[in-house]
Amino acid sequence: MSDSYPLSISDFQLLKNAANKIFEVITNRLNVNTAYVTRKGETAMTVLSSFNKKEEIIPEGYSVEYGGTYCRLIISNPSDTIRTSNLANFDLTKELAVTGQLKTKGFLGVTLRNLDGEVFGTLCVMDWEEKDFSDEDRDFLYSMADIFSHLIELDETKYNMGLLNVPIIPITNGVAILTIQGIIDEKRADHIMNTVLRYAAENNNEHFIFDVSGLVILDNKFPEVVTEVVRCLNVMGVQTIVTGISPDFALQNTIHSNLQKLEVKTAMDLETALEHIGFQLTVK
């Protein structure tokens, strides 16, 4: 079981985007003020996303040391759940500092796992008033937790694909090719920048070829990371060549202007780029 995840809170965008709609269904169905999802870290439980119908009880980003949380009780319970009509009177929670701080009563929480069965955190609801939660209510919250499990899986898959999709191909000593495909978001841009610069420094690259033929352009905006990494490589003394620029790309003024400012060498295709460096592709 993994107790902590490498992803930061900001990485769970699909979960956070869908959470409010799911929370609204939950709070209406269970007649409670607050619903929230926590993530289990190495030492603390942090509220990843929360919904407060009227008064705010649990704010997003709220964090409590793991040992003093309701979430610890939920996760450590063999039934993977805790429910009580009044936290202040419940044996497991009445002595916790958080109970005195929040001053809430009705509470129901279930363990939240990813699709591999590893503990991610918890899905909980609470209210200012006493609430008698039934087995049906508990089962309903479990069904909602299943939805969040799928969202967690999608976020983790998106994260891993973004990190892995920086395919640098070494051609020979000092020469490498980076093929950039798909959409580049901010997280992926940071990873491309760090990976390419580190690779170039560690391998003493003299030439780096960027193939952008598979790049997806959104809103006619050429990804700034491409021009930034080219600029950084130039400062490092690495000559860069950009290849795979389609006629549609070339006709867009912003892209054309950015590449002109960099005074970067461009080539129609990979073969032409390699010939410029001094290599020839031969067929045996």
Side-chain angles (χ1 to χ4, degrees), residues 60-127:
E60 204 162 284
Y62 181 74
S63 185
V64 179
E65 190 274 325
Y66 180 63
T69 63
Y70 305 138
C71 301
R72 175 185 61 83
L73 299 175
I74 297 167
I75 293 169
S76 61
N77 193 313
S79 67
D80 275 350
T81 184
I82 290 290
R83 56 175 164 170
T84 177
S85 61
N86 193 330
L87 289 163
N89 297 332
F90 190 50
D91 287 342
L92 292 177
T93 59
K94 63 183 181 182
E95 301 298 332
L96 294 179
V98 68
T99 300
Q101 293 168 1
L102 295 177
K103 301 185 185 303
T104 50
K105 295 180 180 178
F107 180 87
L108 173 62
V110 299
T111 300
L112 182 59
R113 300 176 183 273
N114 63 19
L115 295 184
D116 292 327
E118 297 176 329
V119 172
F120 176 85
T122 59
L123 171 61
C124 306
V125 298
M126 61 171 51
D127 198 83

Side-chain angles (χ1 to χ4, degrees), residues 2-255:
S2 176
D3 287 339
S4 61
Y5 284 67
L7 290 76
S8 66
I9 288 179
S10 62
D11 291 313
F12 292 96
Q13 286 304 311
L14 291 175
L15 184 150
K16 290 167 71 69
N17 290 342
N20 268 7
K21 291 183 179 179
I22 300 173
F23 286 153
E24 189 171 0
V25 171
I26 292 173
T27 54
N28 288 336
R29 166 67 172 75
L30 299 179
N31 190 28
V32 292
N33 182 80
T34 299
Y36 60 96
V37 166
T38 69
R39 176 194 178 196
K40 184 180 184 298
E42 292 183 3
T43 61
M45 299 295 299
T46 302
V47 176
L48 185 63
S49 189
S50 66
F51 177 85
N52 296 277
K53 188 181 293 185
K54 295 179 181 177
E55 299 176 76
E56 183 176 81
I57 298 178
I58 300 291
E60 204 162 284
Y62 181 74
S63 185
V64 179
E65 190 274 325
Y66 180 63
T69 63
Y70 305 138
C71 301
R72 175 185 61 83
L73 299 175
I74 297 167
I75 293 169
S76 61
N77 193 313
S79 67
D80 275 350
T81 184
I82 290 290
R83 56 175 164 170
T84 177
S85 61
N86 193 330
L87 289 163
N89 297 332
F90 190 50
D91 287 342
L92 292 177
T93 59
K94 63 183 181 182
E95 301 298 332
L96 294 179
V98 68
T99 300
Q101 293 168 1
L102 295 177
K103 301 185 185 303
T104 50
K105 295 180 180 178
F107 180 87
L108 173 62
V110 299
T111 300
L112 182 59
R113 300 176 183 273
N114 63 19
L115 295 184
D116 292 327
E118 297 176 329
V119 172
F120 176 85
T122 59
L123 171 61
C124 306
V125 298
M126 61 171 51
D127 198 83
W128 298 111
E129 305 298 327
E130 290 192 359
K131 298 288 179 181
D132 290 316
F133 296 106
S134 65
D135 289 346
E136 185 180 349
D137 293 334
R138 178 202 59 199
D139 293 343
F140 168 74
L141 200 60
Y142 271 128
S143 67
M144 294 296 101
D146 286 341
I147 296 174
F148 279 111
S149 294
H150 285 280
L151 293 172
I152 291 167
E153 180 74 12
L154 289 171
D155 276 323
E156 289 178 342
T157 300
K158 178 176 178 288
Y159 176 86
N160 290 331
M161 288 180 65
L163 291 187
L164 291 173
N165 196 14
V166 188
I168 297 175
I169 305 170
I171 299 300
T172 187
N173 289 339
V175 180
I177 298 172
L178 170 66
T179 301
I180 304 177
Q181 297 180 327
I183 297 171
I184 299 180
D185 58 16
E186 184 176 351
K187 181 65 67 174
R188 188 178 174 210
D190 289 341
H191 188 64
I192 289 174
M193 173 70 80
N194 294 333
T195 302
V196 170
L197 296 185
R198 184 175 65 250
Y199 183 93
E202 292 176 352
N203 293 276
N204 296 316
N205 279 94
E206 297 174 2
H207 302 276
F208 229 111
I209 300 172
F210 288 76
D211 177 17
V212 298
S213 57
L215 183 64
V216 176
I217 300 294
L218 297 179
D219 300 326
N220 294 328
K221 293 181 180 178
F222 194 68
E224 188 175 343
V225 66
V226 176
T227 54
E228 283 301 310
V229 74
V230 168
R231 184 178 292 110
C232 290
L233 286 172
N234 287 345
V235 171
M236 293 168 62
V238 181
Q239 182 183 8
T240 56
I241 303 175
V242 178
T243 185
I245 298 175
S246 68
D248 288 339
F249 283 10
L251 288 171
Q252 295 180 25
N253 291 331
T254 302
I255 297 174

